[in-house]
Amino acid sequence: MRKVAGKDEVTTMARSEALPSVDGDELEPRFRAVTGGGERRGVRLERIYWDSLGRMSEAGGISIGDLVYHTAADMPETGNLASLLRVLSFKWVLSRLDAIEDVASLTNLNAVLQASPTPAVVLTQERGIKLFNDAFLKMLRHRLPLIDDVQQTARTLRFSIDTQVEEVLSVLSANRGKTLNTGFKIGLGSQSLTGQINLALAPAHEAPMLIGYISVY
């Protein structure tokens, strides 16, 4: 008999999947002496904040020392420089995350799909169709003439590819910037349609998905 996970187990599993692991070494503040604006300062911060400040300085085209100098210049007299740098770096990371999530949203992904003149779909890890474009609907109307409601049918028809979705995700994740071509099959009652589809990792942050452009049908 299959064991059903209890509430506590499910909560623990969800927490472990959502939270990254943290090594003890990452919790220890590291002292660094930095020079900026002609002044030398000693600052103690955890490694993750030094990494963040490094990215900030690289993006801004200045040194970490100059970044610390300008931050200290704007700090109130009663302020704590280390605390201010932590807050500053975290706010910068959050702003970058917001920008990336906006670009990698399902709304933008759908726009990319609709811009394609060829039939295209977005497939989930569970092999379901998440999104499709107007060219895909036109293909269905043309090749599966017995369809009444094309829009509704597109969400419920049987769509499969010759290569397992998990395998495609694994191969493309290991070969960033590459695509994979495989066969596909659409089934609807006694009707069927086969062809070739070019797959790539979908630029979406919600979950691993594939974007596929149908090349032959």
Side-chain angles (χ1 to χ4, degrees), residues 29-35 40-45 47 49-51 53-54 64-65:
R30 300 184 175 194
F31 177 84
R32 286 181 61 176
V34 295
T35 302
R40 184 178 176 85
R41 287 182 174 83
V43 183
R44 291 175 62 85
L45 293 171
R47 187 175 68 191
Y49 293 110
W50 284 121
D51 292 344
L53 291 176
I64 292 180

Side-chain angles (χ1 to χ4, degrees), residues 49-120:
Y49 293 110
W50 284 121
D51 292 344
S52 178
L53 291 176
R55 294 195 179 194
M56 286 179 64
S57 64
E58 184 177 354
I62 62 175
S63 68
I64 292 180
D66 284 335
L67 191 154
V68 172
Y69 169 77
H70 290 299
T71 301
D74 295 333
M75 183 180 64
E77 293 184 4
T78 58
N80 181 287
L81 180 59
S83 296
L84 182 57
L85 288 171
R86 289 187 181 96
V87 172
L88 182 68
S89 66
F90 191 66
K91 288 187 68 174
W92 183 83
V93 169
L94 286 180
S95 67
R96 295 285 288 238
L97 178 61
D98 288 340
I100 291 172
E101 287 187 346
D102 181 56
V103 171
S105 66
L106 284 177
T107 301
N108 277 350
L109 179 57
N110 187 57
V112 171
L113 212 64
Q114 299 304 328
S116 171
T118 62

Side-chain angles (χ1 to χ4, degrees), residues 122-196:
V122 170
L123 302 176
T124 66
Q125 199 164 8
E126 294 73 32
R127 298 182 294 280
I129 296 179
K130 183 72 173 180
L131 300 169
F132 51 84
N133 64 359
D134 290 339
F136 182 76
L137 295 179
K138 292 178 180 178
M139 179 193 72
L140 294 182
R141 289 192 185 98
H142 177 65
R143 299 302 299 271
L144 302 176
L146 298 182
I147 293 177
D148 294 324
D149 186 342
V150 179
Q151 187 83 20
Q152 180 61 30
T153 300
R155 301 184 183 280
T156 58
L157 52 75
R158 301 187 304 277
F159 188 98
S160 62
I161 58 177
D162 295 347
T163 309
Q164 291 291 329
V165 171
E166 293 81 0
E167 181 182 346
V168 177
L169 287 169
S170 177
V171 169
L172 294 180
S173 295
N175 298 274
R176 295 285 176 171
K178 301 295 184 180
T179 62
L180 187 149
N181 183 271
T182 189
F184 76 87
K185 181 177 182 180
I186 295 175
L188 179 66
S190 60
Q191 300 183 93
S192 64
L193 171 63
T194 60
Q196 293 290 310

